[in-house]
């Protein structure tokens, strides 16, 4: 049968489909290089999101091939041969599987070489994610094959692609609801919020079962000559869909915090500066501004002696006000690094000084004017740059900061230090209403 | 080229006739295209003649097991053609060239014949040799690696014959095999038919009476789905010597038989 599979690979549309899958995957990954080039977890996600388009494409490709028998009128001839139908479609189905699997894994391998050169943390589980894609693509192609055999109209392949895409769009919309399970059928789930969030085994299993269900139903339908295998295909598909919907849980349960990814990696020398394993390649850029910030904070009594990257102890749920986060250990100041492959914040010093080193201490972010003013005082300036420039406050906000810092500086030096230290300690204890601590009770 | 002889080829025959039909009826759509046919064919080349709509193609489709008989009994190579349990084994020993020979245009000659050999469940080890031999027998060895879409109509017909004989079938069914063949190829084809008919049952459906006379050992004439005549080609020629219309004695014999049958019914 190997010779027949090789013939099918050469002479069917399998190679064309493989080329299309490769091209679409490369294009999809190419538009988001910055997001995934250094992170395995982001890479596997971005690689898998192309399935959104690739699965309908594979279905259309399968349908094109499925039409072949009736389109070329070989049914009469084949009908006189003895090989059972399930064996007869095996080389065709195998050629489709080899084509889609090779294309999907080839693109993964290409990207993986790049990621392997940049990533500082390699989760073993990430390497299994593309296998899910292979199964889903194979299932889509085989289901298309069955559809093409049943309805050899020229309209069937594009119709399948459009219907498949429309279904995925509808399902993708469900993924924004954290309580929804229907979104588990979407091939483009919500992305992880933090770089250390990994997809759960149950979520991978869900897509794996869905793909296997599509594949089994496709084979049964393609080989079916009576109602029994068709009914079995319906049952298999329904069962697989139900498992894929239920097993992964709600959309909010899709990711978990990978503690290995959060493991701290520290730079040589003192004071100690540490980042998470997933961001270890940022460490050389972080050390200098972090130590500069630590030196500035040292003007306060009880100043922190080490700086570590902020980590969340929970998976961030989009729309939630609760970012989670480990509370800063005594003597430690925390800072945040960009979560989507961006460069290190050029204002990292300001970011660390904000709140006199308390902004990323695991407490809710409140009383920003007071925190900015305390940071500006520590830095010796009248204002402080917003973290990474992403939070834009109005002129009034910055005027308040300058006014607060100005009034603070008009006080005796010891009082200035006392008030800023008091603010720091209050913020570290997650207390609210910080501004009166700096102003001596007055609010502007 | 020397070929291996399989066990079933040398096994003693357990049936009297390779094709044995009794009161056979076969439908083409809703119409009874073969109606109460009684026919017995053994080893040799049997030319199936009849006017358009006589039921030749429907009969060939029934003999090839593509359609099930609607009634009566049809035994092929000793197996009941309506028995699903023995169908698979029977089909391994069949060769069939349909009236419309469907093919995958992107396959090469060799690939397509190989594919058909695989579908006919030949042993994997025997396929490459059998494919080469059948391609040589239809004089297409020089085009073996050409894609089917690049071949002329006559060449495609020869590919059709090659795939039909690749498994050395005990029962070979050829529906209009000489369509598109030039005179030289038809002469070669007749020689091939005679070779094939030496040890198997070959049924050739055709409109060309001279092909039947030249290459067949037996003539079967049907009309309206029923048997009109079965005999030797020489009998057909002899009938044409005393009347009928046509350019040759065989053609006159053919029209004489048809006219007699129609007058009688």
């Amino acid at each position: 049968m190997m010779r027949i599979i090789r013939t099918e690979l050469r002479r069917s549309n399998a190679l064309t489909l493989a080329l299309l899958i490769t091209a679409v995957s490369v294009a999809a990954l190419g538009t988001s290089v910055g997001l995934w080039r250094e992170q395995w977890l982001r890479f596997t996600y971005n690689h898998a999101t192309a399935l959104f388009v690739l699965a309908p494409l594979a279905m259309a490709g399968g349908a094109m091939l499925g039409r072949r028998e009736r389109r070329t009128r070989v049914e009469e001839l084949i009908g006189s041969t003895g090989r059972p139908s399930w064996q007869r479609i095996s080389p065709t189905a195998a050629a489709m599987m080899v084509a889609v699997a090779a294309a999907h894994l080839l693109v993964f391998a290409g990207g993986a070489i790049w990621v392997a050169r940049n990533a500082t943390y390699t989760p073993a589980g990430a390497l299994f994610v593309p296998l899910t894609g292979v199964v889903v693509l194979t299932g889509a192609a085989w289901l298309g094959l069955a559809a093409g055999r049943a309805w050899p109209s020229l309209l069937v392949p594009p119709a399948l692609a459009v219907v498949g895409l429309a279904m995925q769009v509808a399902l993708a919309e469900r993924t924004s609801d954290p309580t929804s399970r229907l979104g588990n059928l979407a091939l483009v789930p919500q992305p992880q919020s933090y770089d250390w969030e990994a997809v759960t085994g149950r979520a991978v299993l869900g897509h794996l079962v869905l793909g296997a269900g599509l594949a089994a139903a496709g084979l049964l339908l393609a080989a079916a000559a009576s109602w029994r295998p068709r009914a079995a295909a319906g049952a298999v598909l329904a069962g697989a869909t139900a498992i894929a919907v239920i097993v992964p849980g709600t959309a909010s349960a899709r990711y978990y915090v990978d503690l290995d990814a959060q493991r701290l990696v520290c730079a040589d020398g003192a004071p100690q500066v540490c980042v998470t394993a997933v961001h270890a390649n940022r460490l050389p850029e972080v050390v200098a501004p972090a130590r500069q910030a630590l030196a500035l904070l040292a003007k306060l009594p009880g100043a922190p002696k080490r700086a570590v990257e902020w980590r969340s102890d929970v998976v961030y749920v989009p729309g939630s006000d609760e970012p989670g986060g480990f509370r800063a250990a005594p003597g430690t100041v925390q800072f945040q690094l960009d979560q989507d492959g961006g460069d290190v914040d050029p204002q990292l010093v300001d970011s660390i000084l904000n709140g006199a080193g308390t902004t990323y201490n695991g407490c809710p972010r409140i009383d920003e004017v007071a925190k900015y003013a305390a940071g500006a005082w520590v830095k010796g300036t009248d204002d402080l740059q917003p973290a990474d420039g992403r939070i834009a406050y109005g002129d009034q906000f910055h005027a308040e900061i300058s006014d607060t810092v100005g009034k603070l500086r008009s006080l005796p030096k010891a009082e200035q230090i006392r008030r800023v230290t008091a603010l720091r300690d209050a913020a570290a204890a997650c207390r609210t209403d910080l501004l009166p601590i700096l102003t001596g009770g007055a609010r502007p | 080229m020397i070929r291996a002889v399989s066990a079933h080829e040398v096994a003693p025959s357990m049936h009297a006739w390779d094709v044995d039909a009794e009161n056979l009826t076969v439908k083409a759509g809703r119409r009874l295209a073969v109606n109460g046919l009684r026919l017995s064919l053994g080893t040799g080349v049997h030319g199936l003649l009849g006017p358009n709509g006589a039921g030749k193609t429907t009969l060939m489709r029934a003999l090839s097991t593509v359609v099930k008989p609607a009634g009566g009994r049809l035994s092929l190579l000793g197996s009941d053609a309506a028995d699903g349990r023995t169908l698979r084994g029977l089909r391994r020993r069949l060769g069939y060239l349909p009236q419309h020979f469907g093919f995958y245009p992107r396959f090469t000659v060799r690939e397509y014949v190989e594919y058909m050999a695989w579908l006919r469940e030949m042993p994997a080890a025997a396929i490459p040799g059998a494919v080469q031999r059948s391609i040589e027998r239809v004089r297409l060895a020089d085009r073996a690696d050409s894609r089917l879409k690049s071949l002329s109509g006559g060449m495609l017909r020869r590919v059709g014959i090659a795939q039909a004989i690749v498994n050395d079938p005990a029962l070979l069914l050829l529906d209009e095999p000489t369509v598109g063949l030039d005179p030289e190829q038809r002469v070669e084809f007749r020689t091939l038919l005679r070779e094939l008919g030496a040890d198997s049952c070959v049924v050739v459906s055709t409109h060309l009476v001279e092909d039947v006379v030249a290459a067949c050992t037996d003539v079967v004439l049907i009309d309206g789905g029923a048997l009109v005549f079965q005999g030797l080609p020489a009998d057909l020629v002899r009938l044409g010597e005393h009347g009928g219309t046509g350019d040759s004695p065989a053609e006159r014999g053919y029209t004489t038989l048809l006219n007699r049958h129609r007058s009688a019914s």
Side-chain angles (χ1 to χ4, degrees):
Chain A
M1 191 165 82
M2 290 308 294
R3 286 176 69 92
I4 306 297
I5 293 174
R6 279 199 293 271
T7 300
E8 285 284 27
L9 268 173
R10 281 198 305 269
R11 306 301 178 201
S12 71
N13 64 343
L15 282 182
T16 307
L17 181 61
L19 284 174
L20 275 173
I21 287 176
T22 306
V24 172
S25 294
V26 168
L29 278 175
T31 58
S32 58
V33 171
L35 293 176
W36 56 261
R37 66 184 167 194
E38 295 171 339
Q39 307 280 343
W40 281 106
L41 296 171
R42 297 268 184 204
F43 169 58
T44 54
Y45 173 82
N46 280 279
H47 177 249
T49 53
L51 291 173
F52 175 77
V53 177
L54 297 182
L57 189 66
M59 209 181 280
M64 289 288 288
L65 189 53
R67 292 177 62 234
R68 185 180 61 174
E69 214 167 281
R70 282 205 207 173
R71 185 171 52 84
T72 55
R73 298 173 67 183
V74 299
E75 281 183 312
E76 174 86 3
L77 188 54
I78 289 177
S80 71
T81 62
R83 199 165 281 280
S85 59
W86 67 269
Q87 284 187 24
R88 213 165 62 214
I89 64 156
S90 295
T92 315
M96 279 274 123
M97 183 178 70
V98 169
V100 300
H104 195 59
L105 294 178
L106 189 73
V107 174
F108 183 83
I113 291 170
W114 200 359
V115 176
R117 288 167 57 190
N118 299 316
T120 49
Y121 170 66
T122 305
L127 300 176
F128 292 101
V129 175
L131 296 180
T132 308
V134 166
V135 177
V136 167
L137 285 178
T138 301
W142 288 358
L143 206 58
L145 191 69
R149 286 172 65 85
W151 303 288
S153 163
L154 188 61
L155 295 175
V156 167
L160 278 179
V162 169
V163 169
L165 206 56
M167 281 179 67
Q168 280 301 311
V169 169
L171 290 167
E173 285 180 5
R174 305 291 301 168
T175 62
S176 55
D177 177 1
T179 61
S180 170
R181 288 174 184 265
L182 209 55
N184 292 330
L185 296 176
L187 297 173
V188 182
Q190 288 290 321
Q192 62 261 63
S193 299
Y194 300 128
D195 291 337
W196 48 71
E197 289 176 3
V199 65
T200 62
R202 292 163 72 94
V204 173
L205 182 68
H207 276 178
L208 202 61
V209 170
L210 179 65
L214 289 173
L219 271 190
L220 280 168
L221 289 172
S226 66
W227 65 270
R228 280 186 185 171
R230 291 188 187 111
V236 165
L237 197 55
T241 305
I243 291 170
V245 167
I246 295 166
V247 167
T250 59
S252 61
R254 179 172 177 77
Y255 297 104
Y256 72 100
V257 174
D258 182 349
L259 295 177
D260 287 335
Q262 282 190 332
R263 182 176 46 82
L264 289 178
V265 177
C266 303
D268 295 333
Q272 192 179 50
V273 177
C274 306
V275 295
T276 57
V278 281
H279 294 145
N281 53 353
R282 294 280 182 261
L283 189 55
E285 296 172 70
V286 168
V287 170
R291 284 179 178 160
Q292 184 188 345
L294 283 170
L296 288 165
L297 288 169
K299 67 177 68 165
L300 299 177
K305 303 294 184 199
R306 68 195 277 260
V308 303
E309 184 189 348
W310 172 88
R311 297 163 289 163
S312 176
D313 54 347
V314 294
V315 171
Y316 180 70
V317 178
S320 164
D321 293 331
E322 179 51 67
F326 289 108
R327 296 293 303 277
T332 299
V333 64
Q334 294 187 149
F335 58 88
Q336 191 175 31
L337 291 181
D338 197 276
Q339 292 291 332
D340 52 12
D343 295 331
V344 171
D345 182 3
Q347 309 299 334
L348 186 61
V349 174
D350 287 25
S351 172
I352 295 173
L353 295 181
N354 196 297
T358 60
T359 296
Y360 297 105
N361 65 352
C363 300
R365 294 181 69 167
I366 46 156
D367 219 341
E368 293 290 288
V369 171
K371 287 189 171 180
Y372 270 72
W377 181 89
V378 173
K379 193 180 178 187
T381 56
D382 292 337
D383 200 357
L384 206 63
Q385 292 298 317
D388 202 14
R390 284 179 298 186
I391 304 168
Y393 293 105
D395 293 342
Q396 174 67 26
F397 177 79
H398 289 286
E400 283 182 33
I401 294 168
S402 299
D403 182 50
T404 305
V405 174
K407 286 177 179 168
L408 187 62
R409 290 224 172 88
S410 66
L411 298 172
K413 189 74 177 176
E415 181 59 12
Q416 292 178 37
I417 293 172
R418 191 195 65 76
R419 288 189 182 188
V420 175
T421 304
L423 176 137
R424 182 198 66 189
D425 294 343
C430 297
R431 280 168 49 195
T432 57
D433 204 16
L434 302 174
L435 192 58
I437 298 174
L438 286 186
T439 60
R443 287 197 77 93
Chain B
M1 183 180 285
I2 298 170
R3 71 174 181 87
V5 179
S6 60
H8 76 79
E9 288 180 80
V10 294
S13 174
M14 301 296 283
H15 49 269
W17 302 101
D18 292 329
V19 174
D20 192 10
E22 184 69 44
N23 199 28
L24 179 69
T25 55
V26 188
K27 283 185 176 176
R30 291 182 178 176
R31 190 173 64 89
L32 272 181
V34 175
N35 192 2
L37 181 74
R38 181 177 182 172
L39 184 67
S40 299
L41 304 175
T43 300
V45 183
H46 308 275
L48 182 61
L49 290 173
N52 285 334
K56 296 192 299 295
T57 291
T58 304
L59 176 59
M60 293 294 271
R61 297 188 77 209
L63 297 182
S64 68
T65 72
V66 172
V67 288
K68 272 189 179 177
R73 184 180 61 80
L74 176 62
S75 171
L76 301 170
L77 303 174
S79 298
D80 183 353
D83 185 355
R85 291 167 300 181
T86 57
L87 209 51
R88 188 172 171 183
L90 168 62
R91 284 173 169 169
R92 285 194 196 115
R93 303 170 66 198
L94 283 182
Y96 179 41
L97 170 64
Q99 188 178 41
H100 181 92
F101 170 54
F103 60 91
Y104 296 154
R106 297 175 70 179
F107 278 46
T108 66
V109 173
R110 188 186 305 283
E111 287 166 348
Y112 196 62
V113 176
E114 190 173 82
Y115 180 58
M116 292 310 301
W118 179 77
L119 286 178
R120 294 187 198 286
E121 299 191 280
M122 288 187 70
I127 289 178
V131 169
Q132 180 63 28
R133 191 170 58 252
S134 65
I135 291 173
E136 285 174 1
R137 290 182 91 173
V138 297
R139 305 278 191 267
L140 274 177
D142 58 331
R143 300 300 299 269
D145 296 316
S146 300
R147 291 201 186 192
L148 294 178
K149 64 182 175 186
S150 70
L151 301 185
S152 67
M155 287 177 178
L156 283 173
R157 212 63 195 157
R158 283 189 277 158
V159 176
I161 296 165
Q163 63 79 26
I165 64 174
V166 68
N167 57 331
D168 294 312
L171 175 58
L172 175 61
L173 307 160
L174 304 170
D175 198 349
E176 306 280 5
T178 53
V179 172
L181 300 189
D182 62 34
E184 185 188 9
Q185 289 166 350
R186 279 174 62 190
V187 170
E188 288 175 355
F189 174 67
R190 288 172 189 165
T191 308
L192 176 61
L193 271 187
R194 282 189 284 268
E195 289 171 19
L196 294 167
D199 55 4
S200 57
C201 176
V202 182
V203 184
V204 184
S205 170
T206 181
H207 283 294
L208 302 174
V209 181
E210 60 269 40
D211 278 352
V212 172
V213 173
C216 296
T217 54
D218 183 38
V219 179
V220 175
L221 175 61
I222 63 170
D223 188 31
L227 183 66
V228 174
F229 170 81
Q230 184 173 8
L232 299 173
D235 297 336
L236 196 66
V237 172
R238 199 160 32 250
L239 279 167
E241 289 168 354
H242 306 291
T245 54
D247 296 330
S248 65
E251 282 182 352
R252 288 194 290 275
Y254 169 79
T255 53
T256 299
L257 282 169
L258 270 184
N259 289 335
R260 274 188 204 168
H261 172 70
R262 285 168 181 169
S263 303
S265 58

